[in-house]
Structures are given as C-alpha cells and as structure tokens.
C-alpha cells in the first residue's frame, strides 16, 4: 500500500465550517494524494461527512481554501467538482425513486445525439455491474428496491462519472460482508488505475483493511493523519476519544422502580432489519439505545411505534398488548417519537411555531363543531415556548428562520405538548449549541422525574451514558448487551460496539 511522494490531488488549508453559528469543522489542514485510499474516521458528529461534502462541492467552506490538482477551487459546487474529476456518493441517498436503476446511475450524463437521448443507459450499466459484482437489473424501478440495493446504485453512480477522485460516505452501512468485499476490490482497482478514494466510515476493520492513510477527526478538529499499516483499532479509538481527558463523570440519575414497566418489547422483528428485539422501559426511567451508524437503532424505534410494520413479536404498553400499531394510534396512547431529522420529518418549515407545535393535537383544541379554540391553542404554545426557552419567543414566528437549536426546541414542544407517557427521542440534541443542549438535557430529566418513560437514541456516547439509567447496545438491528452506564466508560462501550460489529462480519462471512 505504499504511495509515492507526489503533489496532493486535493489540498485543504484552514478549512472551517459552521451551521447556524455552530462550528462543526475547525482549521482543518489535509492533503489527499493521488493513487491512494484515504480513510476518514471519527465518532458520530466528528465532522467526517461534512469534510467529505466540502471536498465534493455540496457544502462551501466557511473559512479556508481548497486546491484540486494544483488549481484553486474558488467556485466549488457539485457540478464544478465533477468537471474537475471529483465525485461523491452520499450517506443520505440521492436517488429519483420513480426512475430505473440505469437511469439513476447515468442521470445527468446520458448519451445524446443532437439533444435527443440515445437510450444506451442499460447497455452502459453492464460494465459497472461487472466491475462491482452488484447484481441489479438495469430496468428495475428504484422505489421497488431495498435500501441496501439503493445504496449500491449510489456507488455505481459515482463510478459512472469516471472521476479521478471518488468520495464514499459510509458506502458499506447497508451491504453484506460479501458485497463489502467486492466494493473493497473495486476501490483497490481504482487505486491501481491511478484513481483516489476517500473512504468515510465507522467500520474500523474495513478502514484498516484497505486504506493507505487514515485521518482521525474529533469534535471538528483534525487529530492526526497516519499510515494505515501502522494503525490498529485501538490506536484509532484512542485518537477518536482523545484518551482519558475527555471522559466525564456520569450524571447520577435518581433510582426508579423497574417493576413499574411502561413499555415492553418482546422478540420484535420487522422488514426494516429489526431482529428479535426485547427491551423494557419503566415509568420515570431513561433507557438508552447505543449503536454505530447503520446499527438499526432508529429502525427499532420505528417498529415500536408502528411507523414500520412488524413481522414478529409484540409490544406492550402498561402491560397491555398493543396490536395493529400506527402513528395516529400511538399518539392517542401517549406513545410518541421525536424524529432525528427535524427538517424532513419533524417540522413544516412553511408554517409558524404555533401551528408546528399544535398540528398533531388539534382535537385537543377543537370545539364539538370542529372549530379550533385559538386562545387555548395560543396559550399552550406560549407555555411551551417559555418552558423550552425558544428564541425568538414569537408564537407565530417563522420557524424556517430559527436556529437549529431553537427548531429542535420547537420540535420537542410539538411532541411533548400533551404530556405523553412514553417518549422515544431520536438524536434530541443533534446540531444544537451548548445552551440549547443543556436545556434539552434538562427537559429529558424533567420528563423522567415526572414519571414519563424515555427511550433515548443518541450517537453521542457521553450524552446517552450521562442521561440514562440503563442502556442497550445495538448492532445489525439486534440488541446484544444491556449495560449500567455508571459502570461503563465511553471507551469500553465503543470497544464493545466495534467488537460486536467485527463478530457479526465474521459470522456473515462464514454463512456466505
């Protein structure tokens, strides 16, 4: 895996990036060399994907400069990047679901004669299928495919651009072990032909297997770049966590009566990948779900509330079986889920704060004739704005113009408006500033103190370990261990997650 000393194909100097005043990258200096596979690793939220998107032109840097093949990249959009030989495949799928596999792969680079499409996409796809080993029908409609197959299309789309540099953001999160091996072979072949791959991943075994050099990010800072042959999983984890100095005492939570169970899940399986999940959450208890990207934490929660259909198992609410689950029934039962994506799944950005908060609960403000009691609605929204310290405090403020932290507070107010008995929180403090995070953590504690059962999903180990009474560790849609957060460090939990990930990979290989 030796790489010749040559001029970098991408040179980053002093790169910084902020969203809504929140700094996510700080003064990053990095060289990407031609003909190498370069790994980017770090904890969730470390800035890996953001850095990849800056190199791919999807984000503009707030500060600093970029050079690509020795030329400044001043106007840098995805189109500019592609013209300069840089393609990116996204962790969030960017597909047109009503088009076919071949149409998606070659979208925007179709062959044409005099402006009329030649219709050669199906035949052009054959060479890419042969190179990757991904067995997809060119004429298959994307909406009919699994998430794993859709992710393969993203990979093939990046390869179809014949780029000199391909940025792959978590490309293996939905692939089997055999498919991952084929993807690695594709990366190696690209390197042999002089291409460069930037490999963003949480799967450290994969990173160590194929990367020439590895860069570690932590909290938006570049910690180190090292030779892949000299790194181990332990050295990477140590750099990702920063050693003992970043470990903080766990927050003490009041003891709860664990016999008073509000939510119980038994042997739950779903088509979304949830497999034989069993868990319990008591009244007044905060229980964490901890896993790496793609581990299935959100899928478990969606199966519990009825957003995704279950194939086996049962859910009990206060000891009674909850059958034929759906979102509306869950809301009426006092079982709610605050989603992780506030912009796509949580808020309607064209509506004001008040309407966003009360929309799922209009029956609580309606007269017998169906008219909304505006004063009652206004008063409840105002109460929640004060409770969560939403700024600005305008009941009818335009939520689109609010900061990420204040949007998140509005989202929490929306789902906590009717004082639910069971709350699932998916990444409740993602992308918010320190002040908003403290208020959100305080609100989570208040929920538990008032007897609400809380199931907490967070990519930040410090957050979930500090807030939870108990926690379950998740990998590949399964719960493999229950822990007491007061007895586990971040390092120990992360080691367990990576170890389980490696064990599953080995088991999968043995069955293939």
């Amino acid at each position: 895996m030796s790489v010749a000393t040559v001029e970098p194909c991408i040179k980053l100097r002093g790169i910084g990036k902020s969203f809504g005043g929140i700094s996510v990258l700080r003064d990053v200096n990095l060289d990407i060399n031609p003909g190498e596979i370069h790994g980017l690793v770090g904890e969730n939220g470390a800035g890996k994907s953001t850095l990849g998107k800056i190199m791919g032109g999807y984000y503009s840097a707030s500060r600093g400069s970029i050079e690509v093949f020795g030329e400044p990249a001043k106007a840098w959009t995805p189109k500019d990047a592609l013209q300069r030989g840089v393609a990116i495949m996204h962790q969030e799928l960017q597909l047109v679901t009503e088009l076919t596999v071949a149409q998606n792969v070659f979208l925007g680079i179709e062959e044409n004669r005099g402006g009329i499409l030649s219709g050669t996409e199906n035949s052009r796809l054959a060479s890419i299928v042969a190179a990757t080993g991904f067995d997809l029908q060119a004429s298959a409609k994307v909406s009919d495919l699994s998430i794993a197959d859709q992710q393969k299309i993203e990979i093939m789309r990046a390869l179809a651009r014949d780029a000199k540099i391909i940025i792959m953001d978590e490309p293996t999160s939905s692939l089997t072990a055999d498919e991952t091996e084929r993807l690695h072979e594709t990366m190696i072949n690209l390197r042999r032909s002089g291409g460069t791959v930037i490999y963003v991943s949480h799967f450290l075994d994969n990173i160590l297997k194929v990367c020439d050099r590895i860069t570690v990010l932590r909290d938006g800072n570049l910690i180190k770049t090292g030779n892949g042959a000299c790194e181990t999983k332990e050295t990477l984890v140590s750099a990702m966590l920063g050693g003992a100095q970043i470990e903080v005492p766990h927050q003490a939570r009041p003891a709860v009566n664990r016999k008073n169970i509000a939510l119980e899940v038994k042997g739950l399986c779903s088509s979304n990948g949830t497999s034989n999940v069993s868990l319990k959450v008591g009244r007044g208890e905060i229980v964490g779900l901890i896993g790496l990207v793609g581990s299935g934490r959100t899928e478990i929660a969606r199966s519990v509330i009825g957003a995704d259909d279950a194939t086996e198992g049962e859910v009990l609410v206060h000891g009674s079986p909850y059958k034929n689950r759906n979102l509306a029934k869950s809301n009426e039962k006092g079982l709610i889920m605050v989603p992780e994506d506030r912009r796509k799944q949580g808020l309607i950005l064209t509506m004001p704060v008040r309407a966003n908060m009360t929309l799922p609960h209009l029956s609580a403000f309606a007269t017998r004739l169906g008219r909304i009691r505006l004063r009652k609605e206004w008063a409840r929204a105002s109460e929640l704005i004060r409770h969560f310290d939403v700024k600005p405090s305008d009941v009818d403020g335009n939520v689109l113009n609010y900061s990420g932290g204040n949007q998140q507070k509005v989202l929490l107010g929306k789902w906590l408006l009717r004082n639910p008995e069971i709350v699932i929180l998916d990444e409740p403090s993602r992308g918010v500033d320190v002040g908003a995070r403290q208020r959100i953590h305080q609100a989570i504690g208040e929920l538990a103190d008032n007897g609400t059962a809380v199931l907490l999903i967070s990519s930040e180990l410090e957050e979930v370990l500090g807030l939870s009474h108990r926690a379950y560790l998740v990998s590949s849609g399964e719960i493999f261990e229950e822990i007491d957060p007061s007895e586990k460090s971040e390092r120990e939990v992360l080691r367990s997650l990576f170890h389980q990930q490696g064990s599953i990979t080995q088991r999968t290989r043995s069955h293939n």
Side-chain angles (χ1 to χ4, degrees):
M1 291 189 182
S2 61
V3 179
T5 303
V6 293
E7 282 297 308
C9 54
I10 294 182
K11 183 184 291 185
L12 306 177
R13 292 295 179 266
I15 294 294
K17 181 63 179 174
S18 299
F19 293 102
I22 303 169
S23 180
V24 296
L25 285 174
R26 304 174 189 86
D27 197 30
V28 172
N29 298 304
L30 177 63
D31 291 340
I32 304 295
N33 294 327
E36 74 171 348
I37 303 174
H38 194 118
L40 290 182
V41 301
E43 281 195 281
N44 301 74
K48 309 181 301 297
S49 294
T50 299
L51 188 60
K53 288 179 179 178
I54 287 174
M55 288 187 280
Y58 279 81
Y59 288 159
S60 58
S62 303
R63 295 165 297 282
S65 63
I66 305 174
E67 287 186 8
V68 178
F69 296 111
E71 297 292 329
K74 294 181 179 179
W76 198 238
T77 66
K79 182 178 179 180
D80 297 320
L82 190 56
Q83 289 176 343
R84 300 271 286 274
V86 182
I88 182 171
M89 61 149 295
H90 299 269
Q91 182 178 350
E92 306 90 0
L93 300 178
Q94 308 279 313
L95 303 176
V96 182
T97 56
E98 294 306 305
L99 296 182
T100 67
V101 170
Q103 287 170 333
N104 268 278
V105 169
F106 295 102
L107 188 62
I109 56 170
E110 299 91 344
E111 291 181 345
N112 69 87
R113 295 176 183 174
I116 300 175
L117 298 182
S118 302
T120 58
E121 290 79 22
N122 286 14
S123 58
R124 291 171 67 192
L125 187 68
S127 62
I128 299 178
V129 170
T132 60
F134 295 156
D135 186 16
L136 293 177
Q137 294 297 319
S139 59
K141 192 175 179 181
V142 169
S143 60
D144 295 331
L145 301 177
S146 67
I147 295 298
D149 282 342
Q150 290 182 23
Q151 193 163 23
K152 296 173 195 174
I153 298 172
E154 280 280 13
I155 295 168
M156 292 193 294
R157 188 159 70 172
L159 296 174
R161 269 65 188 166
D162 197 25
K164 299 176 183 177
I165 303 168
I166 298 182
I167 303 161
M168 297 186 176
D169 191 356
E170 298 289 352
T172 65
S173 59
S174 298
L175 302 182
T176 67
D178 185 54
E179 290 164 343
T180 297
E181 289 290 337
R182 293 176 189 168
L183 177 62
H184 287 168
E185 290 173 6
T186 300
M187 291 182 183
I188 293 168
N189 288 335
L190 286 169
R191 181 181 61 195
R192 286 172 181 161
S193 63
T196 299
V197 176
I198 300 169
Y199 189 4
V200 183
S201 181
H202 277 80
F203 294 85
L204 298 187
D205 287 325
N206 293 344
I207 288 286
L208 289 166
K209 184 171 184 179
V210 297
C211 288
D212 301 292
R213 293 193 300 147
I214 303 171
T215 292
V216 180
L217 296 172
R218 184 175 74 240
D219 296 330
N221 299 300
L222 193 154
I223 302 303
K224 70 172 184 176
T225 296
N227 188 319
C230 299
E231 299 288 354
T232 66
K233 191 181 292 187
E234 285 296 322
T235 62
L236 294 178
V237 170
S238 178
M240 287 162 59
L241 291 177
Q245 66 269 24
I246 71 162
E247 308 236 351
V248 298
H250 296 302
Q251 177 181 335
R253 299 294 311 158
V256 295
N257 181 3
R258 294 181 181 174
K259 294 182 180 180
N260 199 349
I261 302 299
L263 174 68
E264 184 172 3
V265 178
K266 296 181 177 180
L268 190 64
C269 299
S270 294
S271 57
N272 64 16
T274 299
S275 177
N276 195 31
V277 167
S278 297
L279 59 84
K280 295 180 181 180
V281 187
R283 292 179 181 175
E285 186 178 28
I286 303 173
V287 175
L289 282 184
I290 303 175
L292 303 172
V293 166
S295 63
R297 300 164 303 174
T298 297
E299 287 75 10
I300 291 172
R302 289 177 58 85
S303 301
V304 169
I305 66 167
D308 293 336
D309 293 333
T311 55
E312 293 182 36
E314 62 178 334
V315 174
L316 290 84
V317 175
H318 302 303
S320 299
Y322 176 18
K323 300 179 180 179
N324 302 317
R325 296 182 299 283
N326 61 53
L327 294 177
K329 285 175 63 177
S330 293
N331 188 23
E332 289 301 316
K333 281 182 169 289
L335 167 60
I336 64 96
M337 177 177 175
V338 180
E340 64 176 322
D341 192 332
R342 55 180 171 263
R343 286 180 166 261
K344 292 183 180 179
Q345 300 174 320
L347 300 174
I348 301 176
L349 299 179
T350 56
M351 297 179 70
V353 171
R354 170 180 53 83
N356 267 285
M357 284 184 167
T358 62
L359 186 61
H361 320 287
L362 291 180
S363 61
F365 304 102
T367 66
R368 291 182 179 179
L369 298 178
R371 291 187 175 183
I372 302 300
R373 296 186 178 95
L374 294 178
R375 287 187 179 180
K376 183 178 180 182
E377 181 193 27
W378 193 94
R380 182 61 175 136
S382 297
E383 182 183 352
L384 289 166
I385 287 170
R386 289 192 300 271
H387 180 73
F388 286 104
D389 194 26
V390 177
K391 299 291 179 64
S393 58
D394 183 1
V395 173
D396 288 315
N398 187 349
V399 74
L400 176 63
N401 297 327
Y402 282 40
S403 69
N406 283 291
Q407 287 181 353
Q408 190 71 13
K409 293 176 186 177
V410 173
L411 179 61
L412 287 168
K414 169 184 177 178
W415 286 114
L416 302 182
L417 183 144
R418 295 179 71 176
N419 300 314
E421 297 178 351
I422 304 168
V423 175
I424 302 173
L425 298 171
D426 195 356
E427 305 288 1
S429 62
R430 171 176 286 173
V432 305
D433 60 33
V434 174
R437 184 186 302 272
Q438 289 176 344
R439 183 64 193 98
I440 290 168
H441 287 180
Q442 182 182 352
I444 294 171
E446 291 168 352
L447 283 172
D449 293 341
N450 292 329
T452 302
V454 179
L455 186 62
L456 174 63
I457 301 170
S458 177
S459 298
E460 298 187 31
L461 291 181
E462 178 184 334
E463 179 174 56
V464 71
L465 291 174
L467 290 171
S468 300
H469 295 90
R470 292 183 296 117
Y472 296 101
L473 305 188
V474 180
S475 183
S476 297
E478 302 178 19
I479 290 174
F480 67 90
E481 185 179 355
E482 178 183 339
I483 66 168
D484 181 341
S486 66
E487 298 177 355
K488 293 285 186 178
S489 67
E490 293 179 44
R491 187 184 301 276
E492 290 170 326
V493 171
L494 198 60
R495 187 180 293 114
S496 293
L497 293 173
F498 282 123
H499 176 76
Q500 181 68 12
Q501 184 186 81
S503 297
I504 289 175
T505 300
Q506 290 299 322
R507 290 201 301 271
T508 304
R509 286 173 180 161
S510 68
H511 289 302
N512 286 339

